[in-house]
Amino acid sequence: MKIKINGREIFLESPATILRAARLAHIEIPTLCAMEGAEPSVRCGLCLCRVAGREELQSACETVTEEGMEIVTHSAEIFAARRQALEKILAKHDQRCTTCFKSTHCQLQKYAQLYDVEPDACGKLTALVPKDESNAFYVYDPNKCILCLRCVNLCSSLQCSGALREEEDGPIVAVGGEGRGKSRCVSCGNCLDACPTGALVPKDACYAEGRTSAVETVCPYCGVGCRIKLYLRGNRAVGMTAADGPANDGLLCVKGRFVFDFINHPDRLTTPLIRKEGRLVPCSWEEAYEAVINAFKEVKEEGPEAIAGLSSARCSNEENYLFQKFIRVASGGNNVDHCARLCHSSTVAGLSQSFGGGAMSNSINEVYKTEVILVTGSNTTETHPVIGAKIRQAVKKGALLIVAEPRKIDLCEDTEIFLQIKPGTNVALFNGLAKAVLEEGLHNRDFIDRNTEGFEELEKSFERVSVKECAEICRVSEQEMRRAARLYAQAATAAIYYSMGVTQHSRGTDGVVSIANLALLCGQIGREGCGVNPLRGQNNVQGACDMGALPNLYPGYQAVANPEARAKFEKAWGAALSPLPGKTSTEMLDQMEQGKIKFLYIMGENVLVSEADLNHARKAFSRGCFVVAQDIFLSETAALADVVLPAASFAEKEGTFTNTERRIQMSPKALPAPGGAKEDWRIICELARALGLSGFDFEGPEAVMKEIVTLTPSYGGVSYARLGKNGLQWPCPDAAHPGTPYLHKDGRFPRGKGLFSFRPYLPAADAQDGEYPLLLTTGRVLYQYHTRTMTGRNAAIEGVAGGPFVEIHPKTAARFGLRDGAPAELASPRGKVTAVARFREDMSEDVLFMPFHYGENPVNNLTARHLDPTSKIPELKVSKVKIKSL
Ligand code: SF4
Ligand code: SF4
Ligand code: SF4
């Protein structure tokens, strides 16, 4: 289509609004209400244009281009009309700009200046109405609201929370409560970015231009990898807003937007600590290193098995690389692991068996290309909120959503099918779906023949599976199970999203393999929008795995047992390496308890809240093992250490982080670390040199990355210079490779062909009995992060999250004499905790839920060390418990 704007010829592929066409041609038309991705609200009257042949000025946001259309966007007539529109808006606007948070970056102010608006010509707003200050993080001021509806549109079409609506003649009010504080609002703050005026402002942040500087970086919380702008005043972090990153497209969640004060918190560790006479006391770095080196040398005499290290999913790739290299080179063994053991070790094990590699197959934004989305074992809107919002966007655009979960989660509002499964029945669920596909002949024979092996054996094994029995085990309707199977198999594109609800089981690897079986059976993998997508929890858990912070794998998932791989690393590192896989984190605790591991170096992990069966973990820590904890706060684990080394936070060091979609992103240094705290990479290198090791003389993280790329084929083409704003998605094998948005294209799996492997359903290790009649499942909540070392120091988010709670069906509560909001005691064969009862009608009557974040009353007192035989993940998702009122 050819049109003319201001006399310039413009070519369009298809009709668009004039506003969009002008933007594509880099011609600015002013607007205060229009927003990309949302229907025009036609409120502000600023985008008026002259279209040849039309009597009235036209709104550019709603007028669609036609062949040959001639448009004028700027003239004296248009200037006057826009000024008039602005005067009308300002007449109802509280014009106390000098004290407004948005002053200097307010779009209304900008246009008022640009269009020469005379304040006196506008009239004055005389009676001010009260603000809505009920939300813990932001304020709505109706006196500054111009009713442009951007916030309403954003909340409904991009954030997809539907938390706002316009009252007749304004203002904008919250849905589901009196104010925004008690409503459907999930405090993502995305509407604050959309608001063109000072009507929506944060309570506790400052990012006014001129008074602050900003650094673009990556959110330090979950694995989505949203890009943020971190605002600084001097050496203080004073605010965060969304940057337009490939994973988030300008969206954030409450943590990534409002919870930054841990960076400058007075609790930050600023000096090393050493234990003397039972107490941790400050010491110099020299004294701390000397104590660590002496203990290390003493223990090393007993052999490599006595030394272990826990790396960190919150540290950078470079730091994880250095940590595992340090443990392997210094000890001669492979006792190195990290918290992926507790979240996605079953994914790494299961997908490696089925496909040859364990990572998300698709890019986050491919969800828009997926017809049927199957979410299981993931409360996505709470644990990966921006991915949750994008799934909801996809559903709004027509995708069908199937959710299989023990609890009714927020995504269930949008589902086509909700299968409320019993915790621990994932294998039965996926076997039931696969059997239904086979029975109804919906499997993709062509894909199976070309790209898989083991189909005949699988088909034979499935002869003894019945959909009815699987549905009964899962406690769902057989018809709905069959309907879900049909939708998934018959979709042009279908993808499975899962998280720890699948992996944290004594049969977690079987759960992952049974998911892979279904995807292979239906050929729903290896194409854009089709795949198997494990959602990774912490900001760099993918990277920590990639970097070989695992006891059986070197960087790039190269097996320590493989002589060729070992020879490569021995040559590069100048050290003799062990061919024997080391101990997993769960096994390390057993070894500590048995007095076999005597030196444990922990970087940024809080195992004494996150491990299963904490009474056992505490016992392990009491057996005299020398513990070095490197952290930014004195966590529950660091408090028991012999030496504590103060580390820099994400904002205080340079490095790369790999998000859940395999995207390696740069995070620059924005601030100096407080006091004597140092970057983790620097501490590891200093310790290594103090031990007399070579190969740790790096000038900085970029030099470390240069070594990583020589040894890690999937990172082979990565360099700091290439990462830029969008990063690179591995595999990126060489400098010319653009990165890989989705895996297994055309059925090319890293192991060759996709492998079918039948896994029978086996019940969870803990079964209800007369003494413990209930099943407890655990998880995360939106308003906390992991073991609360960061979120626990923010009063606003703590206020909203509240303390430990247990969700329970009212009928069950009545059976055990519990009141809503009253304290209860839960006990399992492993221990006890107390929590406040929260009634939920939609819970299954014999299932309870508790979040795992709370160190002072940890749910992991109740969980068991029933380990998956392959991945060694504990069964954190199913524990038999009893409950009573306190
Ligand atoms: S903060 Fe988020 S959820 Fe709340 S109203 Fe704004 S966009 Fe909607
Ligand atoms: S609060 Fe802001 S974005 Fe929402 S309608 Fe008012 S001015 Fe527009
Ligand atoms: S979704 Fe995850 S990465 Fe994005 S802002 Fe929230 S916590 Fe940060």
Side-chain angles (χ1 to χ4, degrees), residues 218-228 248 251-257 383-387 537 539 782 785:
V218 187
C219 174
Y221 295 102
C222 87
V224 179
C226 298
R227 287 195 79 81
I228 54 169
N248 62 316
L251 298 179
L252 292 180
C253 79
V254 58
K255 296 187 284 287
R257 183 178 298 276
T383 56
H384 299 84
V386 167
I387 294 182
N539 59 339
L782 172 67
Y785 179 70

